[in-house]
Amino acid sequence: AQSVAQPEDQVNVAEGNPLTVKCTYSVSGNPYLFWYVQYPNRGLQFLLKYITGDNLVKGSYGFEAEFNKSQTSFHLKKPSALVSDSALYFCAVREAGGGNKLTFGTGTQLKVEL
Amino acid sequence: NAGVTQTPKFQVLKTGQSMTLQCAQDMNHNSMYWYRQDPGMGLRLIYYSASEGTTDKGEVPNGYNVSRLNKREFSLRLESAAPSQTSVYFCASSEVEGRGYGYTFGSGTRLTVV
């Protein structure tokens, strides 16, 4: 079975500092990995995905994520955080060729402070 | 560019009442999904429909039924609501499986069962 772990319930960072939101995954075969963001009282919005190819994936709003197969991780990063980045972030995984059901992590609340 | 539309946005039910949550997508997606979101538990899959005419149980199907009315519409029914079904419900859709597409989410239905 596929699974995702987001070990931090909350991440606090000062505006202008780099941020990292951690995600590790488990699948039987090759993974498709996704990051979504949820603002208060809104649905989830797609940020970026890793399917194959370059391990560093760039997405919306200046976010990027690094796929590390040996560590089974897909951490979300941004070089310089903004207060407007404060939101709930979800990592998700599905197994390539295993249907299109995504399994989501429990979410990480990112708080960016002035 | 409506995407995925969910109705209603808010609902309060008494224990034992029934209701149907509606979901429609205008992107010609084949697959549709119903998730519930609870604090600290992330998103959990209730039911999904890989294609028109098919439905399958997800992780937490008990107490729910679904209908894939046509390619556009996928409804979720609570036959006898219970307080444990108090949650935020999200509908999502995606392209055909096997291409690494992510999901497009609706804005959610906030359901309270008293």
Side-chain angles (χ1 to χ4, degrees):
Chain A
Q2 57 197 36
S3 65
V4 174
Q6 293 182 244
E8 302 155 318
D9 291 335
Q10 181 159 324
V11 169
N12 297 320
V13 64
E15 188 174 53
N17 284 0
L19 69 87
T20 298
V21 182
K22 296 179 180 178
C23 171
T24 59
Y25 67 90
S26 174
V27 294
S28 300
N30 292 321
Y32 291 167
L33 293 154
F34 303 81
W35 275 102
Y36 286 84
V37 60
Q38 184 182 32
Y39 298 100
N41 300 314
R42 303 286 297 276
L44 278 71
Q45 299 176 30
F46 171 79
L47 268 183
L48 51 81
K49 66 180 179 183
Y50 171 82
I51 303 302
T52 187
D54 194 348
N55 290 343
L56 185 63
V57 178
K58 294 189 182 297
S60 306
Y61 312 121
F63 283 92
E64 57 190 27
E66 186 170 11
F67 172 65
N68 187 317
K69 188 172 184 177
S70 63
Q71 297 185 5
T72 61
S73 67
F74 189 57
H75 300 332
L76 181 69
K77 299 181 180 184
K78 188 174 183 182
S80 179
L82 299 172
V83 171
S84 58
D85 292 330
S86 298
L88 185 58
Y89 291 81
F90 288 97
C91 183
V93 67
R94 78 168 183 88
E95 185 177 340
N100 204 27
K101 288 184 293 179
L102 285 180
T103 297
F104 287 84
T106 53
T108 298
Q109 185 70 48
L110 173 66
K111 186 173 182 181
V112 182
E113 300 167 310
L114 290 170
Chain B
N1 59 345
V4 178
T5 303
Q6 289 183 238
T7 55
K9 293 189 182 303
F10 302 94
Q11 184 71 49
V12 178
L13 288 179
K14 293 182 179 179
T15 298
Q17 287 185 318
S18 63
M19 79 162 294
T20 299
L21 281 65
Q22 306 287 354
C23 175
Q25 53 93 6
D26 61 1
M27 297 167 288
N28 202 36
H29 285 170
N30 286 295
S31 302
M32 297 184 74
Y33 313 83
W34 277 105
Y35 283 86
R36 60 178 290 172
Q37 182 180 21
D38 302 290
M41 304 191 75
L43 276 78
R44 293 181 291 169
L45 182 64
I46 305 171
Y47 270 94
Y48 68 100
S49 172
S51 61
E52 185 179 357
T54 69
T55 61
D56 284 288
K57 296 178 180 180
E59 183 183 354
V60 289
N62 292 344
Y64 305 95
N65 284 301
V66 291
S67 296
R68 184 74 183 266
L69 305 170
N70 47 56
K71 191 171 185 178
R72 291 185 63 250
E73 299 172 287
F74 188 41
S75 63
L76 178 72
R77 183 161 179 83
L78 287 70
E79 292 291 351
S80 179
S84 61
Q85 294 178 305
T86 294
S87 187
V88 181
Y89 292 85
F90 287 101
C91 178
S93 68
S94 70
E95 254 290 354
V96 296
E97 63 184 66
R99 297 183 186 178
Y101 287 99
Y103 292 1
T104 300
F105 282 86
S107 57
T109 295
R110 189 173 296 273
L111 175 67
T112 302
V113 183
V114 298

